[in-house]
Amino acid sequence: MKYEVFFLILVLAHEASAALEIRCTTAYCTEYITETGCSDLTTGCQVLNSTNYGTFMLYPDVCNCCDYCLTNLYEGDECVSGAPGQLPPSEICGPELACTTKDDDQATCQTMTTDCALERVAYDEKRDNGTLGSSELRPECDNDGLYSAAHCIPGSICYCKAPTGERIFGEIPYLNPWNQREMSCGCSLNAWRAQNTLDPTYHIPVARCLSNGRFDPVQCMNGTNATCLCIDSVTGAPITDISTVNVTNLAEDTLSCFDSTIHTNGTYNTTCEEAYDTLVANGVTDIELLPSCQIDGKYERIQYSDSKKICADPNGVQIDSFEALTNATEATIMDCNCARTRWILSKASVTELPTCCDFGNFEAWQCRRNECFCVDENGNQIGHEVAINDLEELTCYITNGGDACLVS
Ligand SMILES: *[C@@H]1O[C@H](CO)[C@@H](O)[C@H](O)[C@H]1NC(C)=O
Ligand SMILES: *[C@@H]1O[C@H](CO)[C@@H](O)[C@H](O)[C@H]1NC(C)=O
Ligand SMILES: *[C@@H]1O[C@H](CO)[C@@H](O)[C@H](O)[C@H]1NC(C)=O
Ligand SMILES: *[C@@H]1O[C@H](CO)[C@@H](O)[C@H](O)[C@H]1NC(C)=O
Ligand SMILES: *[C@@H]1O[C@H](CO)[C@@H](O)[C@H](O)[C@H]1NC(C)=O
Ligand SMILES: *[C@@H]1O[C@H](CO)[C@@H](O)[C@H](O)[C@H]1NC(C)=O
Ligand SMILES: *[C@@H]1O[C@H](CO)[C@@H](O)[C@H](O)[C@H]1NC(C)=O
Ligand SMILES: *[C@@H]1O[C@H](CO)[C@@H](O)[C@H](O)[C@H]1NC(C)=O
């Protein structure tokens, strides 16, 4: 039954893209462009200055062979919502606008009111009234006004976001602008959807992810008789026959997507899962004695150890000495986000690291190069920075009474 759920999510969602995988070759596009041709770009798209602008997008044909660009409509302009089978439109409601129908009238472009769209409006206001911090980011929303999956903090990490804006599994060091593109977060989103659509109290096995939120290219069903297959890391679409390799034979020469830097010969179980299974097999049920594993099979950032909660790296090793007594108030607010960020950045040889509370959370303000600013629980800057000598002026300093790790 569990395996069926797994394949339902994995296979059904991606049946269509699996077929495309094979069709969309360079040769196909060359032929497509020669035979069908691509439509000319509108003037707005060719000019691209502040009065004439458009948005380049994937061509709404299956293989994206052509450049495709839409010019923007302004608030109040009439618009048509696209429908399957119609020609792709050449005009679209501009940023933060959605084609909205009111009382059966002709649809017009109206301001979106999703959380992401509203957060952008607030961002623009702060920029205009001078209260914006230098590393605060304008939220990235998709065409429906939902949060884009990749969220990158300058000088820190990129992490995955659910469409609702909450942080979900998947993080990498943010070292260059390409990192944002690498963060497709498909596997994290797949797991998030599975957990949010189905009964949340029921443990649903989902596709194995990589630490960056992509799909692990090797997927095996667990158990002694498991079989393994290769899938696309970005889309999760199966790319080999489903009944391929017996997990006991898993190796470089049996499965093309096997990567010895990630995978282990002959098993798909990770150290964390093995530790968990062994303890459960021995009748252990107390959660304080069991490791918790992430959806990439590695250790979660918070683990129990004796009468403490510790911040752990993905291998289950305590990071520095970040911890709190299980019975202490710190343990109830502990998130280890700062500890993990420090660990990720150190591994990437970054030397400017965030400062963390003893229990692994971000200190309420961070100081860099003689400037200080308030941050949220993920290390995002909130509000304008101040000179280090004016630290007392920061809102978070005032509300915390000068305690960067205020508990309760
Ligand atoms: C944008 O380009 C159009 C067409 O070339 C031109 O008429 C207009 O003045 C340009 N606007 C700006 C702000 O440069
Ligand atoms: C600036 O704009 C933000 C966002 O709307 C608002 O919360 C803040 O109070 C404004 N600050 C000033 C000084 O106007
Ligand atoms: C992997 O774990 C499963 C239980 O989840 C167990 O049945 C199986 O034997 C393990 N495989 C190996 C190779 O250890
Ligand atoms: C498969 O793995 C999940 C979590 O990794 C575990 O909860 C489940 O018990 C395993 N199933 C079997 C049959 O080992
Ligand atoms: C594993 O597969 C073999 C052969 O298909 C079968 O005889 C055996 O019962 C299976 N074992 C388990 C634990 O499912
Ligand atoms: C997988 O390999 C193991 C060990 O060689 C064997 O016992 C098991 O029957 C195989 N399972 C299947 C389904 O072939
Ligand atoms: C894994 O299996 C491959 C053969 O497929 C072999 O060349 C390699 O040495 C094995 N690695 C380990 C660590 O056993
Ligand atoms: C918490 O536990 C420690 C030892 O485990 C004990 O020394 C301490 O008194 C306890 N504190 C509270 C508030 O219960």
Side-chain angles (χ1 to χ4, degrees), residues 19-328:
L20 296 185
E21 205 69 41
I22 303 151
R23 256 186 77 188
C24 297
T25 57
T26 315
Y28 173 87
C29 276
T30 312
E31 194 183 311
Y32 179 92
I33 293 167
T34 319
E35 286 183 3
T36 317
C38 298
S39 41
D40 291 336
L41 295 180
T42 60
T43 330
C45 285
Q46 288 173 24
V47 177
L48 287 184
N49 63 18
S50 57
T51 47
N52 272 297
Y53 55 96
T55 313
F56 278 88
M57 312 189 53
L58 293 177
Y59 192 72
D61 180 43
V62 283
C63 289
N64 302 310
C65 296
C66 298
D67 269 345
Y68 179 53
C69 173
L70 296 170
T71 29
N72 290 325
L73 295 168
Y74 295 93
E75 188 166 2
D77 286 351
E78 292 188 351
C79 52
V80 275
S81 10
Q86 286 178 356
L87 281 175
S90 61
E91 291 178 320
I92 190 175
C93 294
E96 283 102 63
L97 301 175
C99 195
T100 315
T101 317
K102 271 191 196 146
D103 315 322
D104 288 339
D105 286 342
Q106 159 71 42
T108 54
C109 295
Q110 300 294 337
T111 312
M112 281 187 190
T113 54
T114 60
D115 287 347
C116 191
L118 294 176
E119 204 189 305
R120 290 187 108 165
V121 172
Y123 177 96
D124 293 343
E125 277 172 25
K126 282 165 77 179
R127 185 184 53 205
D128 296 346
N129 73 14
T131 56
L132 191 68
S134 62
S135 68
E136 278 191 84
L137 298 166
R138 195 157 188 268
E140 302 254 354
C141 315
D142 67 13
N143 291 340
D144 298 324
L146 300 174
Y147 288 91
S148 300
H151 178 83
C152 296
I153 307 173
S156 185
I157 58 163
C158 293
Y159 61 81
C160 296
K161 264 189 177 184
T164 48
E166 81 230 44
R167 181 172 180 176
I168 56 173
F169 180 79
E171 53 189 347
I172 56 169
Y174 186 27
L175 304 175
N176 64 62
W178 292 106
N179 295 136
Q180 182 140 16
R181 291 206 177 188
E182 278 162 40
M183 280 233 109
S184 45
C185 299
C187 189
S188 305
L189 288 166
N190 177 63
W192 178 82
R193 277 188 211 105
Q195 270 137 25
N196 282 275
T197 1
L198 306 170
D199 180 359
T201 57
Y202 181 72
H203 176 82
I204 310 134
V206 288
R208 169 82 56 85
C209 301
L210 299 177
S211 59
N212 61 11
R214 290 187 175 210
F215 289 92
D216 186 333
V218 175
Q219 296 286 330
C220 305
M221 290 172 286
N222 56 7
T224 31
N225 269 344
T227 50
C228 306
L229 71 151
C230 288
I231 64 165
D232 183 288
S233 297
V234 174
T235 64
I239 50 181
T240 54
D241 194 2
I242 295 219
S243 57
T244 40
V245 174
N246 182 334
V247 71
T248 56
N249 301 327
L250 191 63
E252 222 150 4
D253 51 4
T254 56
L255 204 59
S256 57
C257 55
F258 183 93
D259 175 349
S260 58
T261 63
I262 313 171
H263 307 115
T264 313
N265 283 5
T267 185
Y268 195 56
N269 297 346
T270 62
T271 313
C272 184
E273 290 164 347
E274 289 284 352
Y276 182 95
D277 286 343
T278 307
L279 289 167
V280 169
N282 287 317
V284 177
T285 51
D286 184 353
I287 58 150
E288 294 195 15
L289 296 175
L290 292 170
S292 30
C293 310
Q294 302 177 148
I295 51 179
D296 65 350
K298 301 289 181 63
Y299 286 84
E300 289 273 12
R301 62 193 62 206
I302 302 176
Q303 299 288 339
Y304 286 98
S305 174
D306 299 328
S307 53
K308 287 181 293 196
K309 273 170 125 181
I310 61 163
C311 296
D313 71 19
N315 300 314
V317 177
Q318 183 167 7
I319 303 170
D320 298 337
S321 53
F322 297 117
E323 61 185 34
L325 286 172
T326 310
N327 63 4

Side-chain angles (χ1 to χ4, degrees), residues 331-343:
T332 61
I333 58 163
M334 181 175 188
D335 59 29
C336 294
N337 286 340
C338 185
R340 267 286 172 99
T341 299
R342 277 185 73 98
W343 182 84

